Amino acid sequence: MMTANGSPLSDVELSLFSWHLHIPLPLGVLLLLSFLLGALVFYVIAVLASLRDRRELEQLRKRVAELEREKAAALQAARIPSGPLPQMPPVVPMPGIPGMPGPGTLPGHHPGPPAGYPPGAY
């Protein structure tokens, strides 16, 4: 069995370096107060960090909205007016290459050798 001096309900004398305090509170109450004080300090730190994070999130949301507006404006400016698309891309004849189909040649039609060349020489 514990004596009155060793029980959690006895008064506590606290020594901090050379400073002696006699606290007229039982040890159990002192422990409970220290836990509550630690929880309060932790809560204050968490609230301060949360406020800072909330400000940062608001700034990031504004930045995202701004970038989305810029992207939408860029897409609107780059949009090509719709119309009928050509069936085949235009063929540009290259000078110096014999037998290159010109713009008037139908797709898939080979015009044959140019005049003055023997067959198979090109």
Side-chain angles (χ1 to χ4, degrees):
M1 226 169 125
M2 296 178 94
T3 63
N5 289 341
S7 75
L9 299 177
S10 63
D11 292 347
V12 177
E13 184 174 330
L14 181 65
S15 295
L16 186 63
F17 298 110
S18 64
W19 187 31
H20 297 284
L21 290 174
H22 180 71
I23 301 173
L25 293 175
L27 181 60
V29 174
L30 189 61
L31 283 173
L32 182 65
L33 288 176
S34 65
F35 286 133
L36 290 176
L37 181 64
L40 181 67
V41 168
F42 179 73
Y43 179 76
V44 168
I45 291 171
V47 165
L48 293 176
S50 173
L51 291 175
R52 186 186 62 206
D53 290 345
R54 184 177 292 176
R55 279 191 299 261
E56 185 178 353
L57 279 175
E58 287 299 321
Q59 290 173 349
L60 290 174
R61 283 188 183 116
K62 288 178 184 176
R63 180 70 178 141
V64 166
E66 178 185 332
L67 289 174
E68 286 176 348
R69 281 192 302 271
E70 288 178 11
K71 182 181 176 184
L75 286 176
Q76 188 70 16
R79 189 169 289 167
I80 299 172
S82 61
L85 296 176
Q87 297 297 327
M88 292 287 291
V91 177
V92 179
M94 296 184 69
I97 298 181
M100 182 75 183
T105 309
L106 295 174
H109 176 353
H110 195 278
Y117 282 93
Y122 71 101

